Amino acid sequence: MSLYCGIACRRKSLWCYRLLSTYVTKTRYLLELKEDDDACKTAQQTGAFYLFHSLAPLLQKSEHQYLAPQHSLSELEKLLAKFGQDTQRIEDSVLLGCSEKHEAWFALDLVLNSSSPINASLQKPQMETELKASFIELRKALFQLNEKDASLLSTAQALLRWHDAHQFCSRSGQPTKKNMAGSKRVCPSNKIIYYPQMAPVVITLVSDGTQCLLARQSSFPKGMYSALAGFCDIGESLEEAVRREVAEEVGLEVERLQYSASQHWPFPNSSLMIACHATVKPGQTEIQVNLRELEAAAWFSHDEVATALRRNNPYTQQQNGTFPFWLPPKLAIAHQLIKEWVEKPTCSALPA
């Protein structure tokens, strides 16, 4: 009997803990907002809004970083009224998440889907003056944001872009309707439900055991090298996508691979970056660069990569006119892959 009571008490304690878990309660609360339009509308009353203009977030410069200001519902309503926009536009906002105290966070683009006859380009400087901040392209500002703001604004831009591109049903051609949270769109004529999606991308750091392979595209900033990356094809497994991309881009055959981590990436149209380490046989390291995919690729030693990770100002042009070899910023998952390899070069030598 005492044994039974002990087990029952432990189960009850676990059950109570799960009910009180901050993560679980937040997740359940956000699910409710996604499924219940009235609950979501109520959450907007006490929520906070991040503002965008043509997918560029509103940011304030603070020393060497950007900050993303929040606005209350009443502040947003006053702003919309001042610039001749209907406050019903707030229904175009999308839910991003919430705080531990269940303050919901939303994002609204002040221009996308607007029916206002006022020219958007004329409004932008006036809005920036009124808000005492600037609308800045996310790609330019991303690495100067803190981790929380970078994640929220990346999610916001991806959702706002998706809704802007999916206003009509691909089957009926009729306008689709967004739910209050922006977690889906529904075609009223045939009830088809559309959900925001991400494209899976494999990003792979290849090693031969003592060196790692890094590459660059012509679109990269001068001097920057990164891990190999490419979209997954329909029907491929993760392992097949890694092996194909490495073969296509540098002409090498992967022997072993190991999953590392994943990251949402908002560019160009919202991707799920799936990071892996891969190894090739030491005797099979001759690179054959596919110039249609890459500008250059090379093997780098442990010391070279470790030095590049420590470089504080990679953008400084050298006296001979060249730029030093440098790596993606800390926020990028490629940086984490490379750092893992430097800290433990054999971390990728596990069986597939």
Side-chain angles (χ1 to χ4, degrees):
M1 181 67 178
S2 59
L3 177 61
Y4 172 81
C5 290
I7 295 173
C9 288
R10 283 195 295 272
R11 285 178 176 172
K12 184 177 180 180
S13 297
L14 179 61
W15 179 71
C16 291
Y17 169 77
R18 288 183 60 82
L19 285 180
L20 296 173
S21 163
T22 300
Y23 175 77
V24 171
T25 54
K26 279 177 59 176
T27 302
R28 292 285 180 87
Y29 177 62
L30 290 172
L31 179 61
E32 179 187 1
L33 300 189
K34 291 176 183 178
E35 298 298 324
D36 187 331
D37 283 355
D38 290 335
C40 188
K41 197 162 187 175
T42 299
Q44 290 179 347
Q45 304 296 317
T46 56
F49 291 80
Y50 294 89
L51 303 183
F52 285 70
H53 188 288
S54 299
L55 297 178
L58 182 73
L59 300 173
Q60 294 174 328
K61 188 71 173 179
S62 175
E63 296 182 352
H64 301 297
Q65 68 173 348
Y66 285 110
L67 301 176
Q70 296 179 336
H71 294 81
S72 67
L73 179 64
S74 61
E75 290 172 335
L76 181 53
E77 289 173 336
K78 291 176 183 177
L79 179 72
L80 292 173
K82 182 166 185 174
F83 288 93
Q85 296 196 37
D86 193 329
T87 55
Q88 191 172 354
R89 288 224 55 231
I90 295 172
E91 294 186 6
D92 291 330
S93 64
V94 294
L95 176 67
L96 305 178
C98 70
S99 69
E100 292 184 0
K101 296 182 179 180
H102 292 187
E103 176 196 54
W105 301 321
F106 299 88
L108 175 66
D109 196 297
L110 298 169
V111 175
L112 293 185
N113 306 323
S114 175
S115 58
S116 172
I118 302 175
N119 190 300
S121 63
L122 295 178
Q123 289 191 57
K124 183 179 177 182
Q126 298 164 349
M127 286 181 174
E128 290 178 330
T129 300
E130 177 70 21
L131 295 165
K132 298 179 181 178
S134 301
F135 293 103
I136 300 171
E137 289 184 33
L138 184 59
R139 188 183 286 272
K140 294 180 179 179
L142 185 64
F143 296 122
Q144 297 180 61
L145 293 165
N146 61 47
E147 189 172 345
K148 174 195 169 186
D149 285 348
S151 177
L152 283 173
L153 296 184
S154 294
T155 300
Q157 189 193 71
L159 280 170
L160 292 168
R161 181 191 287 113
W162 183 86
H163 281 285
D164 186 52
H166 291 79
Q167 296 182 54
F168 296 89
C169 176
S170 61
R171 182 68 60 85
S172 69
Q174 297 298 309
T176 54
K177 185 177 180 181
K178 164 189 165 297
N179 71 334
M180 189 63 67
S183 59
K184 61 186 176 183
R185 298 188 74 93
V186 180
C187 176
S189 66
N190 56 28
K191 308 304 178 185
I192 292 178
I193 302 175
Y194 295 91
Y195 295 98
Q197 296 179 339
M198 297 186 291
V201 173
V202 289
I203 179 164
T204 308
L205 186 65
V206 178
S207 170
D208 68 351
T210 59
Q211 307 173 98
C212 73
L213 189 150
L214 299 170
R216 59 174 281 107
Q217 298 177 350
S218 58
S219 60
F220 284 10
K222 292 181 179 179
M224 192 187 88
Y225 279 72
S226 185
L228 301 176
F231 289 95
C232 297
D233 285 345
I234 289 179
E236 280 187 324
S237 66
L238 169 62
E239 295 81 1
E240 290 168 337
V242 168
R243 289 189 166 92
R244 175 184 54 76
E245 281 294 332
V246 174
E248 285 180 354
E249 295 191 350
V250 293
L252 297 175
E253 187 172 343
V254 168
E255 182 183 32
R256 298 182 180 89
L257 64 90
Q258 178 190 7
Y259 169 79
S260 172
S262 63
Q263 178 188 47
H264 170 249
W265 192 246
F267 315 114
N269 292 303
S270 193
S271 301
L272 176 63
M273 308 297 291
I274 306 166
C276 296
H277 291 279
T279 57
V280 295
K281 292 181 179 179
Q284 299 177 2
T285 57
E286 183 179 351
I287 301 171
Q288 297 178 351
V289 179
N290 183 343
L291 295 177
R292 286 185 292 184
E293 299 277 347
L294 302 173
E295 182 180 82
W299 290 104
F300 292 85
S301 69
H302 182 275
D303 287 344
E304 288 176 311
V305 177
T307 300
L309 281 173
R310 292 192 297 268
R311 190 167 285 125
N312 292 324
N313 189 8
Y315 306 100
T316 304
Q317 191 171 7
Q318 296 177 332
Q319 290 183 349
N320 61 3
T322 63
F323 286 81
F325 155 59
W326 59 285
L327 301 168
K330 292 180 180 179
L331 193 62
I333 199 166
H335 182 100
Q336 300 305 316
L337 263 180
I338 295 166
K339 185 179 178 183
E340 284 176 356
W341 181 80
V342 166
E343 293 176 349
K344 191 177 180 182
T346 57
C347 69
S348 59
L350 298 180

